[in-house]
Amino acid sequence: GVCHHLAISDCDGEAVFRTPEGETMWGTIHGQDSVQGVQGNSTKVRVSRMDSLTSSGELDWSSLPRPILAKVDTEGGEMAVL
Protein backbone atom coordinates (compact mmCIF):
# COMPACT_ATOMS: atom_id res chain seq x y z
CA GLY A 1 0.00 0.00 0.00
CA VAL A 2 0.84 3.65 -0.19
CA CYS A 3 1.29 5.84 2.88
CA HIS A 4 0.11 9.44 2.48
CA HIS A 5 1.80 11.77 4.96
CA LEU A 6 -1.09 14.13 5.72
CA ALA A 7 -4.08 14.69 7.93
CA ILE A 8 -7.65 14.40 6.62
CA SER A 9 -9.80 17.42 7.45
CA ASP A 10 -12.51 19.68 6.04
CA CYS A 11 -10.07 21.87 4.09
CA ASP A 12 -6.87 21.70 2.06
CA GLY A 13 -3.71 23.41 3.25
CA GLU A 14 -1.61 23.23 6.42
CA ALA A 15 -2.38 22.85 10.11
CA VAL A 16 -0.39 22.67 13.32
CA PHE A 17 -0.19 19.15 14.77
CA ARG A 18 0.23 19.31 18.55
CA THR A 19 1.40 16.59 20.93
CA PRO A 20 1.79 16.95 24.69
CA GLU A 21 5.35 16.50 25.93
CA GLY A 22 6.21 12.87 26.54
CA GLU A 23 3.24 11.59 24.53
CA THR A 24 3.89 9.24 21.66
CA MET A 25 0.40 7.78 21.34
CA TRP A 26 -1.71 10.80 20.39
CA GLY A 27 -1.75 14.30 18.99
CA THR A 28 -4.26 16.57 17.29
CA ILE A 29 -4.77 19.30 14.72
CA HIS A 30 -8.20 19.96 16.23
CA GLY A 31 -9.27 20.85 19.72
CA GLN A 32 -6.47 23.24 20.52
CA ASP A 33 -7.90 23.56 24.05
CA SER A 34 -7.00 19.92 24.73
CA VAL A 35 -3.29 20.72 24.63
CA GLN A 36 -3.30 24.46 25.40
CA GLY A 37 -1.16 25.31 28.41
CA VAL A 38 0.53 21.91 28.29
CA GLN A 39 4.20 21.73 27.38
CA GLY A 40 4.60 19.87 24.14
CA ASN A 41 5.64 19.80 20.56
CA SER A 42 4.07 21.15 17.41
CA THR A 43 4.79 20.74 13.74
CA LYS A 44 3.10 21.92 10.56
CA VAL A 45 1.42 19.17 8.58
CA ARG A 46 -0.36 19.03 5.25
CA VAL A 47 -4.14 18.67 5.50
CA SER A 48 -6.50 17.61 2.74
CA ARG A 49 -10.11 16.75 2.14
CA MET A 50 -10.64 13.14 1.08
CA ASP A 51 -12.51 14.21 -2.06
CA SER A 52 -9.60 16.50 -3.02
CA LEU A 53 -7.27 13.50 -2.88
CA THR A 54 -9.54 11.40 -5.08
CA SER A 55 -10.45 14.12 -7.61
CA SER A 56 -6.77 15.05 -8.10
CA GLY A 57 -5.86 11.41 -8.70
CA GLU A 58 -3.45 11.39 -5.75
CA LEU A 59 -5.64 8.68 -4.23
CA ASP A 60 -7.03 6.29 -6.83
CA TRP A 61 -10.36 5.37 -5.26
CA SER A 62 -11.15 2.80 -7.96
CA SER A 63 -8.02 0.78 -7.20
CA LEU A 64 -8.71 0.37 -3.48
CA PRO A 65 -9.72 -3.16 -2.46
CA ARG A 66 -13.37 -3.55 -1.47
CA PRO A 67 -14.96 -3.15 1.00
CA ILE A 68 -13.47 0.25 1.79
CA LEU A 69 -13.41 0.89 5.52
CA ALA A 70 -11.99 3.87 7.36
CA LYS A 71 -11.38 4.09 11.09
CA VAL A 72 -11.82 7.67 12.28
CA ASP A 73 -10.02 8.47 15.53
CA THR A 74 -9.25 12.15 15.37
CA GLU A 75 -9.20 13.23 19.01
CA GLY A 76 -12.24 15.51 18.66
CA GLY A 77 -11.99 16.35 14.96
CA GLU A 78 -14.42 13.71 13.68
CA MET A 79 -16.95 16.19 12.29
CA ALA A 80 -14.25 17.97 10.27
CA VAL A 81 -13.22 14.66 8.72
CA LEU A 82 -16.74 13.46 8.04
Side-chain angles (χ1 to χ4, degrees):
V2 176
C3 180
H4 296 269
H5 297 277
L6 55 88
I8 298 297
S9 191
D10 58 352
C11 62
D12 298 318
E14 286 188 336
V16 176
F17 182 76
R18 295 175 178 82
T19 55
E21 190 171 321
E23 282 290 337
T24 59
M25 300 301 289
W26 78 276
T28 184
I29 63 170
H30 299 284
Q32 181 174 338
D33 294 341
S34 63
V35 291
Q36 191 168 341
V38 175
Q39 293 289 75
N41 302 305
S42 63
T43 187
K44 284 187 180 181
V45 295
R46 177 180 165 212
V47 294
S48 183
R49 298 175 337 144
M50 184 69 86
D51 57 343
S52 294
L53 293 174
T54 57
S55 65
S56 71
E58 186 172 349
L59 177 62
D60 183 8
W61 195 258
S62 64
S63 71
L64 295 176
R66 302 298 195 257
I68 298 172
L69 302 172
K71 179 184 181 298
V72 179
D73 182 8
T74 60
E75 303 298 335
E78 289 81 4
M79 292 311 292
V81 170
L82 297 173

